[in-house]
Structure formats: structure tokens, C-alpha cells
Amino acid sequence: MTEAWQSALACIQSLGRRGHEIHVLVGNDPELLNAKSSWVKGVTRFPRSMKAEGDAKALLDFVEERGFDIVIPISDYDAEIAAVAREHPQLGERFVSSSSDAIAVARSRNRTVELARKLGIGVPPTEFVTRETAAKALEKLGFPAYLKASSSTGSFGVQRLSTMDQLEQALAKLPEDAEIQVQQEVTGVSHGVTGFCRHGEVLGSFAFRHAYKTNLGGAQAHLLLADEPQLHDILGKVARELDWHGGIDLDLIVSPEHGPVLLEINPRLSGTAVFALKRGVDLPAGYLPTSTSPEDLQAAPLNPNATGFINIPREMILLQAGGKKMREIALGFRRQHKCADSWFANDPGYSRALFNAVQVGWLRQG
């Protein structure tokens, strides 16, 4: 549904190559990169009110009017809309989504911690707090620590605290009605595992790790293949407990001291699904009703031996911000790893738009 995310590119490339007609919904972003794909046959503006019930009704009317067969949620909020729409008695089967309650668990950091504890999955030492009890909890946990709004997404609503003096200012940035947790910082390497599930069964999954630490939220510019069987096991436990249906993505830290610890459940595919697709793991194919086994999520690999991945638009942002030092890191990454990237040679529309975007980026760097 949301055009701008990297996982939308994976869905467009996967289903376009399989011969399906693709239409995308876009917000107010004027720079529609993924929508320029030659696989995309229609682009529709769909303003969101950010009230799931109302947006689900508007989307149901739109789907019925246009006769679309499958609706794929891309963002976290898309998943919330789709979960409401799937309850429609006639049109609900067109929305590939988990239940509203499962989505609510994924979108709540507090409920995610509770789920992990129940399943025996590691989490950082965490306390659920109010504004009044946060200081006492931080005295117990120590510093550095994170103050997190439970219902926020990604890095939004997350603040790192080095001393108690920072607490009052951090609390002031959170909504008055926010559920809050404080969490001890766990050192290690950021990892992720994304997959597609059908009624609690994982049909396919793909694990990855960050190549280095950046302050760039969302999709990372450079990623590495992760050989961590534990991550797939954790994904399976979560999927079974929530009876998960659709795309899912887990954010974790793999720590020398604690092993894998779960940070977040994202109720949709990761943008790293593009990396998986390049290696022949076609996670978006799971959205097709004919996909019922792991074999259905296999595709001809474009870069079967790739161990590294470059997200070209995100890399351009880093290059603009990091200058010469970032250029050296980007070149070094290419020398050290067999790399796939987010360019698709068999998609002239997207390739042309990507090339133009990169040109503009280089011009801005001077």
C-alpha cells in the first residue's frame, strides 16, 4: 500500500516478474521512485486520516470499486488498516494480514517484551514505568539506558539516556498518554530476520545484520547476510504464538553476553526483502493465495552468491551527509563483500528513475 518503503520495491519486483498487474497507493511524497517501475500499471493518491477504522472503510470501498484481488500492507500502519479490513465479510480475504490483536502486540513495545518473556526469548533488562516511577527504574537498571514510548515505531519515541539529568527533558518529548518503558542498553551487533507466514507457519525467512552502526533510521544502506539459525527459530516461536499471517520482521541485537535479544516486532516485511529476492528467496510471493509451501517462495536468483547488500537511495543519503569518509566506507564495503544492490536491470522505468535520483544526489554533493 505505502509506495515509498523499500519493501514495496521487493513486492513490485517479485510480483511484476511473476506476471501480476500492480497498482500502488501513494501519500503526499512528490518523489515517487518505486512507482516509476515498469511493472506498476497504476498510481493512486490515498490520503490517510491515521484513524484505522475510517481508513479501512475508505480502502475497502476503493478495492471494491477497482476490483483488486490482493492488498499488501507495506508500513506498520498499513498492517493496522489491513487487519481491520480483513474482518469484512465479503472483501476481507483480499487483505493478507494478521488479526488486529496480533498487530497490536507487534506495535506495542511493552506487549512485545511480555510475549518474549513468555516464550523464553531474550530481551534487554526492561521495566514498564510511569513518569513518576521512571527515575527509580533507571536507578535499578543503570546507564546507558533507553526511554521508549511503547506504541512508537522504529527509532521514533526512543531516547538514549547517559545520566539521570537527561530524564526530565526526555519525558517531556513523549505524548502525555504514552505507555513508557525503560530498557538497559545491550551492546552487540544489530540483526534482523524477516519472513512470510501463513496462519502461524513460517514459509520463508531471511536473516541479516548491519554492516556498521549509523544514525540513519529505517532501511540501512549496507547490510550483510547473517548465518544465525537462532534468529529463524525465534521468528518461528513468535509466528506460532501470534498465529501470524503475512509479512513480519524482527529487530534484534546479538550480544556476546546475552546472545540474541529481541527489540521489536514489525508487522510487515523488512525492506531487506530486496536482498532476499536477489538471492532467490521471494518473500513477497507468499502474498499469493497459491503459495502454501516453502518451495513457492523460491525464485531465480539474480545474485545467488551475494553476502552484502547496498540500498542505493539510502547510501546516497549517507554519502551526502558523510562526505569523503563515507565514500571510503562505501568503497571498502564493495571490496570486502560480494554485493547485490537495489538496482533491477530488467525494469527500465525504475532503473531510469533510480539513475536520475543518484545523479541529483551526486550534484548535491558538489
Side-chain angles (χ1 to χ4, degrees), residues 285-363:
Y287 287 102
L288 300 173
T290 54
S291 295
T292 58
S293 70
E295 290 72 26
D296 294 322
L297 273 61
Q298 295 177 1
L302 299 175
N303 301 95
N305 299 315
T307 58
F309 178 72
I310 303 162
N311 180 331
I312 295 174
R314 301 296 277 185
E315 184 184 61
M316 185 54 57
I317 294 172
L318 281 183
L319 291 173
Q320 290 172 0
K324 181 179 179 180
K325 180 178 179 181
M326 193 61 231
R327 286 196 292 273
E328 291 173 355
I329 291 174
L331 287 172
F333 185 79
R334 286 164 169 79
R335 294 189 187 106
Q336 294 168 26
H337 307 287
K338 295 180 179 178
C339 293
D341 59 36
S342 56
W343 177 58
F344 286 87
N346 63 342
D347 184 345
Y350 174 76
S351 295
R352 189 162 45 247
L354 181 61
F355 177 77
N356 291 338
V358 170
Q359 272 195 319
V360 169
W362 279 116
L363 290 173

Side-chain angles (χ1 to χ4, degrees), residues 9-324:
L9 176 62
C11 292
I12 289 167
Q13 297 299 328
S14 161
L15 302 179
R17 286 163 56 183
R18 290 173 179 263
H20 297 277
E21 183 176 312
I22 299 167
H23 294 249
V24 297
L25 301 183
V26 300
N28 297 318
D29 187 351
E31 297 183 21
L32 304 178
L33 182 59
N34 296 333
K36 300 295 185 182
S37 167
S38 297
W39 302 119
V40 172
K41 304 304 179 186
V43 179
T44 300
R45 296 278 174 187
F46 185 77
R48 293 160 173 79
S49 69
M50 303 310 289
K51 295 179 180 178
E53 294 286 344
D55 286 340
K57 184 180 184 305
L59 185 57
L60 281 162
D61 291 342
F62 178 72
V63 168
E64 184 174 32
E65 176 190 338
R66 298 294 186 92
F68 294 130
D69 299 313
I70 302 171
V71 180
I72 299 176
I74 298 297
S75 71
D76 299 61
Y77 182 59
D78 286 353
E80 189 175 338
I81 299 172
V84 174
R86 79 188 284 251
E87 301 300 325
H88 191 279
Q90 284 80 45
L91 301 175
E93 64 182 11
R94 304 185 191 188
F95 294 81
V96 185
S97 171
S98 289
S99 68
S100 290
D101 187 60
I103 300 295
V105 172
R107 298 204 73 193
S108 165
R109 289 189 168 97
N110 286 2
R111 293 184 69 181
T112 293
V113 168
E114 291 172 339
L115 175 70
R117 288 170 174 168
K118 176 183 176 181
L119 298 177
I121 297 169
V123 291
T126 304
E127 297 285 336
F128 305 151
V129 300
T130 65
R131 293 173 186 274
E132 291 73 29
T133 62
K136 185 175 181 180
L138 284 167
E139 288 177 0
K140 175 183 175 181
L141 292 175
F143 295 93
Y146 289 92
L147 177 75
K148 299 183 178 183
S150 176
S151 60
S152 60
T153 300
S155 59
F156 296 104
V158 177
Q159 300 172 76
R160 187 177 186 272
L161 306 178
S162 300
T163 67
M164 192 69 77
D165 295 338
Q166 298 172 317
L167 176 59
E168 185 175 345
Q169 184 177 4
L171 286 170
K173 295 179 181 179
L174 300 181
E176 282 296 325
D177 60 347
E179 286 187 347
I180 307 168
Q181 66 175 234
V182 289
Q183 198 167 73
Q184 189 180 89
E185 183 176 74
V186 173
T187 58
V189 179
S190 296
H191 281 65
V193 58
T194 189
F196 187 90
C197 309
R198 190 167 291 278
H199 302 299
E201 178 189 357
V202 179
L203 293 189
S205 59
F206 186 82
F208 53 94
R209 63 183 176 92
H210 293 190
Y212 45 80
K213 189 171 183 178
T214 73
N215 294 321
L216 188 67
Q220 296 294 302
H222 303 108
L223 291 166
L224 294 169
L225 189 68
D227 182 18
E228 297 281 352
Q230 296 163 288
L231 304 186
H232 301 277
D233 294 340
I234 291 171
L235 180 63
K237 289 181 180 180
V238 170
R240 284 190 295 274
E241 181 66 21
L242 296 178
D243 192 30
W244 197 267
H245 190 66
I248 187 171
D249 173 46
L250 307 185
D251 293 340
L252 308 100
I253 296 285
V254 177
S255 161
E257 181 181 357
H258 302 283
V261 295
L262 178 63
L263 300 180
E264 290 186 12
I265 304 171
N266 301 301
R268 37 75 185 172
L269 286 179
S270 163
T272 313
V274 177
F275 187 8
L277 183 62
K278 287 292 183 93
R279 282 184 52 93
V281 181
D282 190 351
L283 298 176
Y287 287 102
L288 300 173
T290 54
S291 295
T292 58
S293 70
E295 290 72 26
D296 294 322
L297 273 61
Q298 295 177 1
L302 299 175
N303 301 95
N305 299 315
T307 58
F309 178 72
I310 303 162
N311 180 331
I312 295 174
R314 301 296 277 185
E315 184 184 61
M316 185 54 57
I317 294 172
L318 281 183
L319 291 173
Q320 290 172 0
K324 181 179 179 180

